[in-house]
Amino acid sequence: MAFDPTSLRFDDKGLVPCIAQDADNGDVLMMAWMNAEAIARTLETGRVTYWSRSRQSFWVKGETSGHIQQLVDFRVDCDRDCLLVTVRQEGPACHTNRRSCFYTAVRDGEEVELMGPME
Amino acid sequence: MAFDPTSLRFDDKGLVPCIAQDADNGDVLMMAWMNAEAIARTLETGRVTYWSRSRQSFWVKGETSGHIQQLVDFRVDCDRDCLLVTVRQEGPACHTNRRSCFYTAVRDGEEVELMGPME
């Protein structure tokens, strides 16, 4: 069946969450948001493109930083309201310069930093 | 630093998205939502507990189906507005009886089913 981005269940702002996963080692790198046009651009260009809620504009990941995400596989969940992209991530995915945004664990009630910024 | 669930950035409905990842093989299993109390219960009991937006009630994953998620690690992202739990998943995570909710890929413009229901 042909994929139609408008068949997804967008929220009241026209967005769906998209999880980015490292295609090589399976690490979850980040979560951001896409609208229908960002999805179309991601699929067309192979460069993962989000919708920035803070800037209200398209956000071609790595366009300014060089930390691009090359699309490897694009997946839709059962409810069609969440996306998963597997990617080749150039450098850090996180704006703090860490490989993943999920660098803080909660263990025994305490926050533990799992990784520092990349060199 | 002690972790305080109320320090997270909840959306206007008091929820944050939570990604569940298989602790053994790294597969992304599903994404659902938590409120502050669901987070507290998850950390306290070690049984992953979401907030069901459709039922407007707590959802102890697997409570009726037996397909529980045992918490292995709990992570917070850089913006404190998304969670990642790594879990020991009993059976399928998806209500369609598939191991993961992300069983549909989009390849060359077509939807491709990557896995069927578990036996």
Side-chain angles (χ1 to χ4, degrees), chain A residues 1-5 7-8 21 39 43 71-78 80 82-86, chain B residues 28 98 100-116:
Chain A
M1 185 175 67
F3 173 69
D4 175 5
S7 71
L8 297 174
Q21 182 180 33
I39 292 165
L43 290 169
L71 181 68
V72 174
D73 206 16
F74 183 100
R75 296 186 194 152
V76 179
D77 83 341
C78 52
R80 302 182 79 79
C82 188
L83 304 173
L84 172 67
V85 289
T86 64
Chain B
V28 175
R98 290 172 175 85
S100 163
C101 294
F102 296 95
Y103 57 83
T104 305
V106 176
R107 295 176 181 171
D108 299 323
E110 296 289 321
E111 296 196 13
V112 179
E113 187 171 304
L114 302 179
M115 70 194 84

Side-chain angles (χ1 to χ4, degrees), chain A:
Chain A
M1 185 175 67
F3 173 69
D4 175 5
T6 64
S7 71
L8 297 174
R9 289 169 61 195
F10 296 96
D11 69 9
D12 52 8
K13 297 177 187 74
L15 302 173
V16 281
C18 178
I19 302 158
Q21 182 180 33
D22 189 315
D24 295 323
N25 64 16
D27 284 354
V28 175
L29 298 171
M30 58 181 283
M31 194 282 277
W33 298 80
M34 289 187 180
N35 58 17
E37 175 65 20
I39 292 165
R41 292 188 188 190
T42 296
L43 290 169
E44 195 179 303
T45 64
R47 289 277 294 270
V48 179
T49 302
Y50 301 100
W51 177 258
S52 168
R53 297 179 302 170
S54 53
R55 294 194 300 272
Q56 289 286 303
S57 61
F58 291 103
W59 166 26
V60 183
K61 174 73 180 159
E63 197 171 39
T64 53
S65 66
H67 303 145
I68 67 163
Q69 292 180 341
Q70 191 69 40
L71 181 68
V72 174
D73 206 16
F74 183 100
R75 296 186 194 152
V76 179
D77 83 341
C78 52
D79 291 330
R80 302 182 79 79
D81 63 0
C82 188
L83 304 173
L84 172 67
V85 289
T86 64
V87 302
R88 293 261 139 68
Q89 170 71 52
E90 193 68 42
C94 183
H95 75 286
T96 67
N97 229 38
R98 290 172 175 85
R99 180 71 180 169
S100 164
C101 294
F102 296 94
Y103 57 84
T104 305
V106 176
R107 295 177 182 169
D108 299 323
E110 294 290 319
E111 295 196 14
V112 179
E113 187 172 305
L114 303 179
M115 70 193 84
M118 293 175 80
E119 294 299 313

